[in-house]
Amino acid sequence: MASLLRPAGRQGHCAASVCAAYAGASQVLLARAPSPMGTGIACTAARRIAHSRLFGATAHARTMSERDTELTAQLESLIGSFQAPVRFALAYGSGVYQQQGYSVSSSSSSSSSSPSSSAPSGSKPMIDFIFGVTHPEHWHSLNIRQNRHHYSSLAGLGSGTVAQIQDSFGAGIYFNPDIDIDGARVKYGVIKIDRLIKDLEEWESLYIAGRMQKPVKILRDDARIRLASQTNRYNAVRAALLMLPHQFSEEDLFLTIAGLSYRGDFRMRFGENPYKIYNIVYAQMDAFRQVYKPIIEDLPIVNYVPDGSLQQEDNAKLRASMVLALPKRVYERIKSHHLWYLSRKGKLKVDRADPMFALSVVESPELPVYVEKALAEIVAMPALTQSLKASFVYAGEKVQKMFAGKKPTKE
């Protein structure tokens, strides 16, 4: 993939644009101005050109800011419509962040427009939420009382049954899909706060952790989740680096991170747009960079180089420390795959105590394969069982997304 140059900061970029506008316009106009008066006219004209360009950029930024403000207000209003207490809330997906290949459509009943999800042509964009709650059974009891129509017939068995199904199968999250709330199409998932934090820290299923490795809009925050989310993103960078070569682009890194939680997910073979990862990253490069650039600069093993690409150190001790920092369930699976590799090579006489064993792991040419297999093993079963809980209506829409998906192009 083509390397993406490391961009200058926003202020530096604006300043450079203004200087270029002054310089370029002045050179052209001064060449045509034979007198000092002409020079003054040229400078004034150049300033007008530069200011007009800057005004255009500022107006565009203001328009984007206004859209974001309107979208945030709409999302807050939707969350506020629930009487059951929502302790943590985030919004995500193509209904909140633009994805390449999806058009921007607006709902006549909504005050703001948002990027369209892959819903059938002519339908409203779907807005996706995840709600973190303290007591799922109590939450569902209150919500069934207010919004019985959001649930399937399962709600007739009571909130206890709903909460038990939520916690016992899949990733511990219960979705109500394709709900109309104040004219907006909404899908919302409910998960216990403790289960959410566990996935962020330990990659129990990578269902929520994988979602929060991508850009999300936090609407109700929680200090414990914020800390766990930072741990999750550092681990996402570590896992991606272990699968990437010595030198690579930002695009390569972000595509690898975005794809971590899709390894082993059967939906990427059936029921999902096969180019989803590319769609997510290509349209959200700035958002990914905003999240991951500080982490890249903080980790000692990876650095930007002058051409804007990234390089990681080949230092075995640094790489071993990175492997050991991964969630325990990931590292245990990596160790198992390495032992199998050593057994096939007849090299089982190795020190199995860390950190020496971790050094053996990172020196293996099969390390990227170990990581991919470990992630696939974690993701596969929760993704399957979670999907079995989904409604048939939403499953049908997923199938339509697969056939409607088109390979994206970088613009």
Side-chain angles (χ1 to χ4, degrees):
M1 300 177 199
S3 296
L4 298 179
L5 295 180
R6 186 185 183 187
R10 188 178 297 277
Q11 292 179 345
H13 175 74
C14 292
S17 299
V18 173
C19 290
Y22 273 127
S26 297
Q27 288 176 359
V28 173
L29 294 175
L30 286 174
R32 298 179 181 177
S35 66
M37 182 178 293
T39 301
I41 294 171
C43 289
T44 300
R47 288 188 179 91
R48 286 175 178 172
I49 292 171
H51 283 305
S52 67
R53 291 178 180 176
L54 181 60
F55 174 79
T58 304
H60 175 71
R62 185 167 59 246
T63 300
M64 294 299 290
S65 177
E66 288 172 353
R67 287 176 181 171
D68 186 66
T69 300
E70 291 174 356
L71 176 59
T72 300
Q74 182 195 19
L75 298 175
E76 290 280 8
S77 176
L78 291 171
I79 296 172
S81 69
F82 288 87
Q83 295 174 5
V86 176
R87 181 171 156 189
F88 172 81
L90 65 81
Y92 66 95
S94 55
V96 177
Y97 289 96
Q98 177 68 60
Q99 291 183 17
Q100 196 177 72
Y102 300 147
S103 62
V104 175
S105 63
S106 59
S107 168
S108 59
S109 59
S110 174
S111 62
S112 65
S113 62
S114 57
S116 175
S117 65
S118 306
S121 178
S123 63
K124 299 172 186 175
M126 179 93 76
I127 298 174
D128 298 80
F129 288 108
I130 290 175
F131 297 158
V133 305
T134 307
H135 303 291
E137 182 176 348
H138 178 62
W139 197 93
H140 286 298
S141 176
L142 295 174
N143 197 45
I144 289 172
R145 192 178 307 163
Q146 179 195 2
N147 298 307
R148 175 62 182 83
H149 59 288
H150 290 186
Y151 291 80
S152 68
S153 57
L154 184 66
L157 300 177
S159 60
T161 301
V162 174
Q164 186 175 9
I165 294 295
Q166 171 185 316
D167 194 56
S168 301
F169 301 96
I173 187 167
Y174 185 93
F175 279 104
N176 282 326
D178 209 0
I179 307 300
D180 185 284
I181 302 177
D182 296 333
R185 286 181 72 223
V186 171
K187 180 185 81 172
Y188 63 92
V190 181
I191 185 170
K192 189 175 182 178
I193 288 282
D194 292 343
R195 188 79 179 264
L196 191 159
I197 292 172
K198 185 176 183 180
D199 195 39
L200 291 174
E201 293 178 340
E202 302 179 17
W203 288 8
E204 180 185 40
S205 68
L206 262 175
Y207 200 93
I208 300 299
R211 165 45 50 201
M212 294 183 69
Q213 288 164 2
K214 305 170 188 68
V216 295
K217 183 179 283 292
I218 305 297
L219 299 159
R220 300 276 176 88
D221 208 353
D222 178 271
R224 286 200 303 153
I225 293 176
R226 191 184 313 124
L227 181 61
S229 178
Q230 190 71 348
T231 299
N232 175 44
R233 285 171 169 172
Y234 267 83
N235 283 332
V237 174
R238 293 184 182 108
L241 290 175
L242 293 171
M243 293 188 284
L244 287 167
H246 172 66
Q247 186 162 348
F248 50 92
S249 68
E250 279 188 325
E251 177 188 331
D252 295 330
L253 176 63
F254 300 155
L255 285 170
T256 304
I257 290 172
L260 293 178
S261 61
Y262 291 119
R263 285 173 168 80
D265 189 341
F266 81 99
R267 293 173 301 176
M268 295 306 293
R269 297 187 178 185
F270 179 80
E272 188 59 85
N273 181 346
Y275 305 110
K276 181 174 184 175
I277 296 169
Y278 298 92
N279 289 336
I280 291 170
V281 173
Y282 287 164
Q284 300 178 56
M285 284 293 295
D286 289 342
F288 273 93
R289 189 176 292 118
Q290 184 178 3
V291 169
Y292 287 106
K293 184 179 175 184
I295 297 175
I296 294 168
E297 293 175 339
D298 187 51
L299 290 173
I301 197 169
V302 61
N303 296 285
Y304 283 97
V305 293
D307 68 356
S309 64
L310 293 158
Q311 279 186 356
Q312 56 177 319
E313 301 288 341
D314 293 325
N315 185 303
K317 288 185 178 179
L318 282 177
R319 289 175 67 77
S321 65
M322 190 162 62
V323 169
L324 289 170
L326 291 172
K328 184 178 179 180
R329 68 180 60 242
V330 179
Y331 180 49
E332 290 299 324
R333 283 170 168 78
I334 289 174
K335 286 172 65 176
S336 296
H337 289 297
H338 184 51
L339 285 170
W340 174 245
Y341 169 79
L342 293 175
S343 70
R344 288 186 287 121
K345 297 293 182 179
K347 299 178 179 180
L348 280 175
K349 292 183 179 181
V350 295
D351 188 346
R352 299 192 186 187
D354 288 322
M356 294 307 298
F357 191 77
L359 283 170
S360 174
V361 168
V362 300
E363 289 170 352
S364 170
E366 297 290 307
L367 177 58
V369 178
Y370 301 160
V371 179
E372 289 199 32
K373 286 184 176 179
L375 296 173
E377 288 165 0
I378 290 170
V379 169
M381 187 54 66
L384 175 61
T385 53
Q386 183 65 43
S387 294
L388 293 176
K389 292 195 297 186
S391 71
F392 289 107
V393 173
Y394 191 61
E397 183 178 68
K398 284 287 187 179
V399 172
Q400 187 171 0
K401 288 174 74 171
M402 181 183 70
F403 291 109
K406 297 180 179 179
K407 187 173 183 179
T409 56
K410 291 184 286 184
E411 297 178 354

